[in-house]
């Protein structure tokens, strides 16, 4: 002690904190505002999604529309190119996208004899709170090389009644709703008669 009173000197790290105090406070306020704003937006989006989403859309087979059909009796040969129309009922307040649909044809009805297949050529959009129609391209064949055990009976049905009775089954109906993946439970099977001409 020099007898002239003591003078307190702040530690160096305390002085540094005091110098950067204004900057630190500004950054702190900005970060707090930014994260609060982001959290508010996320909560609002979550609430909106919850209000708009009411459930997974439902699908059903509607009809078939023939594009090309040919058959001969000798040798028994049949070829059918058609579209399967599927109705998708979307109850949600936001649209969705159908990413994939698969289908198979079985002959005779109520059997497990697969004689044709179909798939969605490309993704389709379904409207919000509406029933949308999508088309999947199908091909059915029977000849000496493909499904030969059913060719004669299928041609006989076409000659007799002008239509081919089959079961059509759709499955793997995959959707994207609000960036989330969903699959319509299935498969969905329906007996239909496809016109031969």
């Amino acid at each position: 002690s020099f007898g002239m009173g003591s003078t307190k000197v702040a530690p160096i790290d305390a002085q540094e904190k005091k110098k950067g105090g204004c900057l630190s406070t500004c950054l702190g306020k900005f970060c707090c505002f930014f994260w609060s704003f982001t959290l508010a937006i996320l909560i609002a989006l979550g609430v909106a999604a919850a209000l708009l989403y009411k459930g997974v859309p439902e699908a059903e087979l509607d009809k078939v529309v023939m594009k090309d059909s040919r058959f001969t009796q000798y040798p028994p040969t049949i070829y059918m190119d058609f579209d399967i129309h599927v109705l998708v009922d979307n109850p949600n307040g936001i649209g969705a996208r159908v990413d994939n649909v698969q289908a198979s044809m079985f002959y005779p009805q109520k059997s497990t004899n697969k004689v044709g297949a179909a798939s969605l050529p490309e993704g389709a959009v379904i409207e919000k709170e509406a029933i949308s129609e999508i088309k999947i391209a199908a091909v059915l064949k029977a000849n000496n090389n493909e499904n030969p055990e059913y060719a004669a009976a299928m041609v006989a049905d076409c000659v007799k009644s002008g239509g081919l009775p089959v079961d059509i089954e759709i499955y793997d109906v995959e959707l994207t709703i609000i960036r989330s993946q969903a699959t319509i439970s299935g498969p969905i099977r329906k007996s239909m008669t496809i016109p031969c001409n």
Side-chain angles (χ1 to χ4, degrees), residues 45-94:
L45 289 173
V47 171
L51 291 173
L52 292 171
Y53 182 77
K54 297 176 183 176
V56 178
E58 296 182 356
E60 71 170 289
L61 282 163
D62 181 35
K63 60 184 177 182
V64 296
V65 176
M66 187 61 63
K67 293 189 291 187
D68 186 18
S69 175
R70 301 187 297 272
F71 70 89
T72 58
Q73 290 183 270
Y74 307 105
T77 302
I78 187 167
Y79 171 84
M80 292 179 167
D81 179 9
F82 54 96
D83 286 332
I84 300 171
H85 290 232
V86 178
L87 299 180
V88 182
D89 186 358
N90 181 20
N92 302 299
I94 189 167

Side-chain angles (χ1 to χ4, degrees), residues 72-78 141-152:
T72 58
Q73 290 183 270
Y74 307 105
T77 302
I78 187 167
K141 297 179 184 178
N143 51 48
N144 288 334
N145 298 316
E146 298 178 82
N147 307 306
E149 62 272 41
Y150 311 116

Side-chain angles (χ1 to χ4, degrees), residues 44-191:
L45 289 173
V47 171
L51 291 173
L52 292 171
Y53 182 77
K54 297 176 183 176
V56 178
E58 296 182 356
E60 71 170 289
L61 282 163
D62 181 35
K63 60 184 177 182
V64 296
V65 176
M66 187 61 63
K67 293 189 291 187
D68 186 18
S69 175
R70 301 187 297 272
F71 70 89
T72 58
Q73 290 183 270
Y74 307 105
T77 302
I78 187 167
Y79 171 84
M80 292 179 167
D81 179 9
F82 54 96
D83 286 332
I84 300 171
H85 290 232
V86 178
L87 299 180
V88 182
D89 186 358
N90 181 20
N92 302 299
I94 189 167
R97 188 179 73 247
V98 181
D99 300 311
N100 180 55
V101 183
Q102 299 291 323
S104 295
M105 282 69 73
F106 300 90
Y107 177 89
Q109 293 175 342
K110 314 300 181 186
S111 75
T112 57
N113 307 320
K114 184 177 175 181
V115 293
S119 61
L120 187 69
E122 56 186 21
V125 175
I126 55 176
E127 302 296 329
K128 64 179 183 180
E129 297 178 334
I131 297 175
S132 300
E133 183 181 70
I134 61 173
K135 295 185 292 185
I136 56 178
V139 172
L140 182 154
K141 297 179 184 178
N143 51 48
N144 288 334
N145 298 316
E146 298 178 82
N147 307 306
E149 62 272 41
Y150 311 116
M154 293 167 76
V155 170
D157 275 333
C158 282
V159 172
K160 181 180 177 180
S161 62
L164 183 67
V166 297
D167 278 355
I168 298 177
E169 184 176 278
I170 62 171
Y171 50 93
D172 290 344
V173 185
E174 298 172 359
L175 308 166
T176 298
I177 311 171
I178 320 176
R179 297 187 179 181
S180 297
Q181 300 296 317
T183 302
I184 292 176
S185 60
I188 301 164
R189 186 160 175 155
K190 185 176 182 179
S191 295

